[in-house]
Amino acid sequence: MSIPPPEVLVVDAHRVMCDGSSGIRGGQGYRPAALGHPRVFLEIDEHGYVDCGYCDRRFVLRGGPADGADQAGLADIASAASDPGKIGRD
């Protein structure tokens, strides 16, 4: 049994940013950083989606292979997960 990601955002760019709180709304005195996590930049690969390693938010590329798919049936993919040798290299 697969569990769907807690939040799925459909995006138009291959490179996305996540801070865990950008979609949260608040009122006066609101401090989004207090509710989120460190800002990370993620790259969507040939699978058409990427998951944030901190908050599990999933970013799906509009028109990509994962757009419109059952998100619960897709494996977790963190940035550079398809090539472990890429981690830490730029």
Side-chain angles (χ1 to χ4, degrees), residues 8-65:
V8 177
L9 299 177
V10 179
V11 297
D12 295 314
H14 283 271
R15 190 156 172 84
V16 295
M17 181 277 298
C18 186
D19 63 8
S21 65
S22 58
I24 300 171
R25 302 287 183 246
Q28 184 177 1
Y30 170 66
R31 292 183 165 187
L35 298 173
H37 59 68
R39 182 175 294 163
V40 292
F41 292 88
L42 307 166
E43 189 76 28
I44 298 174
D45 64 10
E46 67 276 359
H47 296 98
Y49 67 100
V50 67
D51 297 322
C52 176
Y54 284 100
C55 65
D56 292 330
R57 182 181 284 174
R58 177 166 289 171
F59 296 90
V60 176
L61 184 63
R62 187 181 317 278

Side-chain angles (χ1 to χ4, degrees), residues 43 45 80 82-90:
E43 189 76 28
D45 64 10
S82 60
D83 182 3
K86 283 176 46 177
I87 297 174
R89 263 194 294 149
D90 280 352

